[in-house]
Amino acid sequence: MNFTFAWWPILFLVPVPLLIRFIIKQPKKSQVAPLVNYSLPYFEKVEQTQKKSSHRFAQWLIWLALLIAAARPQWLDNATTPIIRQGRNMMIAVDLSGSMQIPDMQWNGQQVSRVTAVRHLLGHFVNHRKGDRLGLILFADHAYLQTPLTFDTTTVHQFVEQMRQGLVGNQTAIGEAIGLATKELMKLPAKQRVLILMTDGQNTSGTIQPLAATRIAKANHVVIYTIGLGSTSFTQQTIFGPQTVNPSQDLDITLLKRIAKMTGGEFFRASNSQTLKSIYQQLDKLVPIKGPKQYYRPPHELYFWPLAFALLILFIMPLGSLRPRRIS
């Protein structure tokens, strides 16, 4: 059936005016002023009676039209749209420390900074997580909640696009990022709580140590996947000519592996944009979006038709009383 009412119980209010009229006692006939001057000709008495009857009928039409509009009549499409339901909460923590500006990544054939590569590839990953409740944490000197857990992946993607190095400082507070993510994940029940932690350095700031925060995360069933960012070799120009250096010498791989192992997650090494892209693809497989599918038929609201009908009657009713009065 394509036609339906979203709030159909409102239609039970149709007889309310009759009930009110029945409950309220009518005054005695002797107390009621006559509606018709009996000294007038007969046809004027009939005209008054007809006018009163037509006004009552118009009032009933207005009442019915308003109730129908309030019940929200809808026309449902024949095509169905799937809804994916699940119980997963996923926080994404991104390092924005000073080293994230090192241009040792490739994007579309150009040398770009680490944060630029993360911004492009993470945005693509977020767009494909339809059905997950996502949140975004940015950390450097301290950890900051950029986006609370939400099903609105479009908004999360917009904040990912706005990420810039130096936005929240220049150091690296890995422990605070894990602690804040755990705190946010605990606010909502979920069958699975996931944290994706991306960093290119070691813990140099914050009010809690990474392993202490990891133990809290483990106690609250948070699975942490860690991603170590940064190339293993990078050629830079100096006054002595081009020199090859290791830009990831500060990356604490041992710590990231331990964090992942303690919580049942995995560690990934992203030395370039291609490996980072493949890591996101692996995460899609490791943390699949699954759950019973439900379907809905997109509705088209029709309430404005009965509402317009009621307003039209309200506009016409006064015009009926403007007819020239017959003088005998």
Side-chain angles (χ1 to χ4, degrees), residues 139-293:
F139 65 96
D141 294 352
H142 297 283
Y144 300 91
L145 180 65
Q146 183 74 353
T147 310
L149 288 165
T150 176
F151 286 114
D152 186 1
T153 55
T154 301
T155 298
V156 178
H157 179 265
Q158 290 174 352
F159 281 108
V160 168
E161 289 294 317
Q162 296 172 11
M163 292 190 314
R164 297 293 184 273
Q165 185 280 322
L167 189 64
V168 289
N170 291 300
Q171 300 188 64
T172 311
I174 296 176
E176 275 195 17
I178 297 174
L180 180 57
T182 303
K183 177 183 176 182
E184 291 299 312
L185 289 167
M186 288 170 58
K187 289 181 179 179
L188 296 171
K191 296 179 180 179
Q192 189 174 7
R193 296 167 175 161
V194 177
L195 167 61
I196 299 176
L197 176 73
M198 291 179 280
T199 181
D200 67 345
Q202 55 185 319
N203 190 74
T204 59
S205 182
T207 57
I208 183 172
Q209 292 299 311
L211 293 182
T214 302
R215 283 189 285 270
I216 297 173
K218 180 182 178 181
N220 290 280
H221 311 289
V222 177
V223 180
I224 303 177
Y225 295 90
T226 56
I227 300 176
L229 300 167
S231 175
T232 55
S233 64
F234 177 60
T235 302
Q236 60 182 7
Q237 293 293 333
T238 67
I239 58 175
F240 304 104
Q243 289 187 352
T244 301
V245 297
N246 179 13
S248 300
Q249 57 184 354
D250 293 332
L251 179 62
D252 196 343
I253 295 178
T254 302
L255 175 64
L256 296 180
K257 285 183 176 180
R258 191 172 177 184
I259 290 172
K261 185 177 181 180
M262 285 176 62
T263 59
E266 288 192 34
F267 166 74
F268 300 96
R269 183 71 175 90
S271 57
N272 53 55
S273 298
Q274 189 58 41
T275 56
L276 182 59
K277 181 179 180 179
S278 65
I279 288 170
Y280 288 137
Q281 293 173 348
Q282 292 180 60
L283 286 171
D284 271 327
K285 297 177 182 178
L286 288 171
V287 193
I289 301 174
K290 56 185 177 181
K293 284 188 177 181

Side-chain angles (χ1 to χ4, degrees), residues 22 42 52 65 71 105 125 190 214 243 272 302 307 323 325-326:
F22 177 78
Y42 174 76
K52 182 178 179 181
M105 293 285 201
F125 174 79
T214 302
Q243 289 187 352
N272 53 55
L302 303 175
L307 183 60
R323 292 180 300 174
R325 186 176 179 181
R326 181 167 180 174

